[in-house]
Amino acid sequence: PETWPAPLGTVVALMLGSAFPMFSAWGPSLGYLYNDAYSVMLGARHPDALGRPFRDVWPEIWDEILPFIERAMRGEATYQEDLPLRMLRKGFEEDTWWTFSYSPIRDVDGTVEGMFCACVETTEAVRSRSELAGLNVDLERQVLERSNELKHLWDTSPDLLLVIDFEGVFRKVNPAWTTLL
């Protein structure tokens, strides 16, 4: 580390001092450096990922993330929210979602030499929202079915006669009862 360019040393010090998951990729092969919080996200790839080329660390998602990497390496920061990525981390492929930003790391002369990423896995939040949306749809369907059942019962039952308010005014008369009269 004492031979590293100052910007890389600064970024690595920032990452190592943070509890938020972060990594950086530096140099022509985008050598991968990360903090302890990010090591959890690597699963079985940790600790072998340390210092390896970015492409070798995440080959199964490389095609999906390459456009963001290229933008960062051209000097443009990117931000993705709940990006779906199919990853192999624990010995099997799994659907995951991520919120992250890729930012260029510039050398002292302003040349982009690497990129920095702060990220969080949002898989559980995305799944929870999806389940909740499914529950809401199911609940709306149940309410509609129950409303239709009650309407049918009101429209056809000779036993339900009318609705009267507290002043004794007829507010609603059952159609079946009207037919009987």
Side-chain angles (χ1 to χ4, degrees):
E2 49 279 344
T3 64
W4 291 352
L8 178 60
T10 301
V11 168
V12 170
L14 171 81
M15 290 185 332
L16 295 178
S18 177
F20 198 84
M22 300 175 179
F23 73 85
S24 63
W26 183 268
S29 68
L30 297 175
Y32 216 67
L33 301 169
Y34 52 89
N35 65 4
D36 288 340
Y38 186 82
S39 68
V40 175
M41 297 176 175
L42 287 165
R45 296 173 199 261
H46 173 69
D48 294 335
L50 194 60
R52 292 186 55 212
F54 193 166
R55 181 184 200 127
D56 294 350
V57 174
W58 294 112
E60 72 274 14
I61 62 170
W62 185 254
D63 290 339
E64 286 87 4
I65 62 175
L66 183 57
F68 310 120
I69 295 167
E70 289 172 338
R71 286 173 56 191
M73 295 306 291
R74 285 193 310 263
E76 181 183 348
T78 66
Y79 175 80
Q80 298 299 310
E81 190 168 349
D82 296 333
L83 180 73
L85 295 170
R86 188 149 181 85
M87 303 177 98
L88 177 66
R89 300 182 296 173
K90 302 168 191 166
F92 57 90
E93 285 192 349
E94 59 183 319
D95 292 326
T96 64
W97 285 263
W98 298 86
T99 294
F100 61 91
S101 80
Y102 286 171
S103 303
I105 305 173
R106 298 180 187 278
D107 205 344
V108 291
D109 66 359
T111 305
V112 175
E113 296 292 339
M115 54 166 280
F116 168 80
C117 175
C119 61
V120 64
E121 183 174 358
T122 58
T123 301
E124 290 306 314
V126 168
R127 286 183 180 155
S128 294
R129 285 193 306 267
S130 178
E131 288 173 16
L132 185 57
L135 289 175
N136 286 341
V137 167
D138 189 47
L139 183 59
E140 288 175 17
R141 181 187 52 77
Q142 289 177 19
V143 167
L144 182 61
E145 286 174 3
R146 185 68 178 142
S147 295
N148 288 338
E149 289 171 10
L150 290 173
K151 182 179 180 330
H152 178 72
L153 184 62
W154 174 258
D155 289 344
T156 60
S157 174
D159 297 327
L160 299 172
L161 304 176
L162 50 98
V163 176
I164 301 174
D165 67 16
F166 288 107
E167 284 87 38
V169 176
F170 285 33
R171 292 293 174 192
K172 195 170 186 180
V173 176
N174 167 302
W177 187 69
T178 305
T179 305
L180 287 175
L181 289 179

